Every structure is written in structure tokens, then in C-alpha cells.
Amino acid sequence: MLTADDVISARFATTRFGPGYDMDDVDDFLDRVATTLRAYAEGDGDGIDVLAADVSAQRFPTTTLREGYAQLEVDDFLDRAETALRALEAAALRGPAGA
């Protein structure tokens, strides 16, 4: 399962001459994902800021001729984040274990 620390420590290859994702926008969104994962881990429902559906709907501005993150790497990582959030959302709907 993906954790907040996994998100914070994620690194992506960069591209300068081909299309890439705007690095600041990706970093900002991943900060929100990390905050949400941490909130789930701590049982803090008020800290949940991003849903799995938000991850699948997220679009980033692209860069050309300036540094950006490699799109496929970011997309693959976002797939992992979406899967983790879907699992956490499903578990939250089921309620506490043994309840």
C-alpha cells in the first residue's frame, strides 16, 4: 500500500526538450495526496483532501523547451495513488474492523 512517505519521496525523471508535466503543479498535487494518505493513517477524516476520483481526473499543464517531469512516470505513480485511495475509501465505507 502506498504511504504518505512514499509520495513525499517520489522522484521522477525530467525532460527538457520533449513534453513533460509542470513540476510545481505535480509537486503541489502530490503534497495534497500525501496529506490525504497521512490523514487516513492517523484516522483524521478532516484531513482528507483528495479522493481517488480526483486523481483520475487530474490534468497537469505540459511543458516544452523547459524542464518538466516525464509524463509516463508521473502517470504510473498516479495510478498507484488512485489504487491506494480507492482501497482506503472502500475500507472507510465498511467501517472499523470488527464493527
Side-chain angles (χ1 to χ4, degrees):
M1 175 71 71
L2 192 70
T3 68
D5 289 336
D6 295 331
V7 174
I8 291 167
S9 65
R11 299 292 175 255
F12 307 105
T14 57
T15 180
R16 187 176 300 270
F17 298 108
Y21 288 139
D22 183 88
M23 295 167 70
D24 289 334
D25 285 347
V26 171
D27 290 341
D28 290 345
F29 185 71
L30 289 179
D31 285 345
R32 292 177 53 215
V33 170
T35 298
T36 296
L37 290 171
R38 187 165 287 113
Y40 272 112
E42 295 172 357
D44 176 17
D46 292 335
I48 296 171
D49 182 38
V50 177
L51 301 175
D54 298 327
V55 176
S56 63
Q58 182 63 43
R59 301 294 176 262
F60 299 107
T62 56
T63 61
T64 310
L65 301 179
R66 67 181 171 92
E67 194 170 36
Y69 286 137
Q71 293 175 336
L72 288 177
E73 286 186 23
V74 173
D75 291 343
D76 287 345
F77 191 81
L78 289 176
D79 287 345
R80 290 181 56 208
E82 181 182 356
T83 298
L85 288 173
R86 284 203 192 285
L88 290 166
E89 290 165 12
L93 287 174
R94 287 191 302 271

